[in-house]
Amino acid sequence: MSCSGIMCGGCSATKPATAETQAIADQVKSQLEEKENKKYTMFKAVEYQSQLVAGTNYFIKVQVEDDDFIHIRVYESLPHENKPLALHSYQTNKTSHDKLTYF
């Protein structure tokens, strides 16, 4: 059973980040900065996975310095719920070689 090419409940393949992915990352950047108590001058979405749930989970690898990356999990609720994007969790101290995985 698939939902527009993605297995329901499973994560999609890792794909290069798009303008939409960057926009999602940008919308939760301030939430991450608040949790980490730091400002990121670089916040570049590099790649992502998505997971269809009751809404969508996005797992995004974000470059914050030359060789410093953060993995963020962002939840986008269903359109009719009209809720803002939420930073659900994140992992710091990642490298460009670390694979995105469910967390």
Side-chain angles (χ1 to χ4, degrees), residues 26-38:
D26 289 344
Q27 287 183 60
V28 297
K29 179 182 176 192
S30 62
Q31 294 174 47
L32 178 64
E33 289 177 335
E34 195 173 304
K35 290 180 188 303
E36 282 291 289
N37 196 25
K38 67 163 74 165

Side-chain angles (χ1 to χ4, degrees), residues 52-97:
L52 290 173
V53 286
T56 306
N57 278 322
Y58 292 95
F59 299 87
I60 306 172
K61 180 187 290 187
V62 178
Q63 183 176 10
V64 293
E65 287 180 26
D66 285 348
D67 197 37
D68 190 18
F69 294 78
I70 294 176
H71 293 182
I72 61 175
R73 185 171 95 191
V74 180
Y75 176 70
E76 180 180 45
S77 61
L78 295 170
H80 70 271
E81 294 178 331
N82 207 17
K83 293 181 182 164
L85 292 168
L87 176 69
H88 263 220
S89 56
Y90 63 96
Q91 299 174 329
T92 58
N93 301 316
K94 295 290 186 176
T95 70
S96 62
H97 303 293

Side-chain angles (χ1 to χ4, degrees), residues 8-21:
C8 287
C11 286
S12 71
T14 300
K15 296 178 257 200
T18 62
E20 180 186 15
T21 313

